[in-house]
Amino acid sequence: MAPDAFFVPLGLNQAGNETFSTTTRTVSLWAPTMQHGAPPSALIVRALERVSAREDVRVSRVVVELLGPVPIADIEVRSWVERPGKNIELVVAELWADLGNGVERAVARGTAWRLTTADTSHVAYAADEPLKPLSEATPHVWGGSWKSGYLDNMDIRALTEIGGDAEGRVWARPTTTLVLGESMSPLERLFTVADIANGIGAKLDLDRWTFLNTDLTVHIFREPEGEWIGVAAETSTGASGYAMSAGVLHDEHGPVGRIAQTVLVRARP
């Protein structure tokens, strides 16, 4: 039985960087040897929030580049402030793994703009409409080929048919934690879910096609509250083997940001 977390802390290495073992709860839909994009994205966000942490800043945009399959292996997290500033700063985090045969490299990289906070509550506005409430959603059970360690650790409540003609809309929450022994921050929780947008918005038959995202870009205008994350997403597929997934992320009070992903589309043999 895997520990009740996506990652288990192993302590600091000789370079002073945090290291983690990866549990099978992270396993991707596409291969049993690789992680779903959500857990490593959330681990990157954990580092982006913590590096040279400041109480007066919040993360406003995150870009995660998946530099190849993120293995089910020990992970080293490296992070730094790329561009310091009084009101605006850019921070970077990378996940490194030993790929065997003496090859060690970054397998995922994230950047974030962190902005200082100010009181703008009197002009707060959300451009996107809120999702229908959780009370109107129905429990979703993944069927057929939609099985993986990661999906088995997500509680999904559907508002629309996943894979149907309309935009996919769901409420979701992880049933495990990100790092063993830790409570998740609001953004860590958001990113344990956000990467499912590609699958929620997919229109292709999983038994005939693969649609693997290479990245995710999330713009956040309000820190999410509560344990449930709403995803409204749809994927547009072009004629040359790639697609774009785009959507809106929510909490139970309304929209919190938008997500976009690049998707590689291939017919199965």
Side-chain angles (χ1 to χ4, degrees):
M1 179 69 68
D4 192 12
F6 291 126
F7 300 100
V8 176
L10 298 175
L12 303 180
N13 61 12
Q14 291 184 342
N17 296 322
E18 287 188 294
T19 58
F20 301 86
S21 65
T22 302
T23 75
T24 55
R25 297 182 189 274
T26 66
V27 169
S28 167
L29 180 68
W30 306 116
T33 57
M34 64 184 287
Q35 296 184 44
H36 187 279
S41 297
L43 192 63
I44 284 174
V45 165
R46 177 182 178 276
L48 294 172
E49 289 192 291
R50 293 184 178 213
V51 60
S52 300
R54 294 169 51 183
E55 289 293 329
D56 63 333
V57 298
R58 295 291 185 272
V59 170
S60 68
R61 186 226 62 185
V62 175
V63 177
V64 174
E65 310 283 2
L66 301 172
L67 304 176
V70 181
I72 310 297
D74 290 353
I75 297 291
E76 176 190 359
V77 180
R78 304 179 186 182
S79 58
W80 63 93
V81 178
E82 181 76 12
R83 186 272 198 192
K86 181 180 179 181
N87 290 307
I88 302 172
E89 59 186 12
L90 183 68
V91 290
V92 182
E94 292 181 341
L95 305 186
W96 283 67
D98 186 345
L99 303 183
N101 297 320
V103 177
E104 183 182 9
R105 67 169 177 84
V107 292
R109 186 176 194 268
T111 60
W113 286 111
R114 299 195 310 201
L115 310 181
T116 53
T117 58
D119 183 8
T120 53
S121 57
H122 58 295
V123 292
Y125 169 76
D128 298 293
E129 293 185 0
L131 285 179
K132 290 182 179 180
L134 180 64
S135 60
E136 296 188 26
T138 58
H140 177 75
V141 178
W142 299 103
S145 300
W146 288 91
K147 297 293 289 181
S148 78
Y150 169 77
L151 291 180
D152 291 344
N153 286 272
M154 296 297 296
D155 185 353
I156 303 287
R157 310 290 175 90
L159 291 166
T160 62
E161 180 186 359
I162 297 176
D165 293 334
E167 179 183 64
R169 297 184 178 186
V170 302
W171 288 102
R173 63 178 175 179
T175 57
T176 189
T177 192
L178 177 63
V179 173
L180 189 66
E182 293 184 4
S183 297
M184 287 183 278
S185 75
L187 284 193
E188 289 171 13
R189 181 177 295 277
L190 181 72
F191 277 80
T192 62
V193 172
D195 191 72
I196 71 172
N198 171 31
I200 297 304
K203 297 293 186 287
L204 298 173
D205 183 346
L206 186 63
D207 293 322
R208 298 178 57 198
W209 299 91
T210 63
F211 34 94
L212 179 68
N213 65 292
T214 63
D215 56 24
L216 60 153
T217 299
V218 178
H219 287 264
I220 304 147
F221 70 91
R222 179 173 65 80
E223 191 169 79
E225 301 175 34
E227 60 178 336
W228 287 94
I229 302 299
V231 180
E234 195 155 21
T235 300
S236 299
T237 304
S240 301
Y242 56 98
M244 176 196 69
S245 177
V248 181
L249 303 174
H250 303 252
D251 66 10
E252 291 190 79
H253 301 287
V256 299
R258 294 183 179 181
I259 182 171
Q261 296 165 286
T262 305
V263 183
L264 180 73
V265 177
R266 291 293 183 269
R268 291 188 183 272

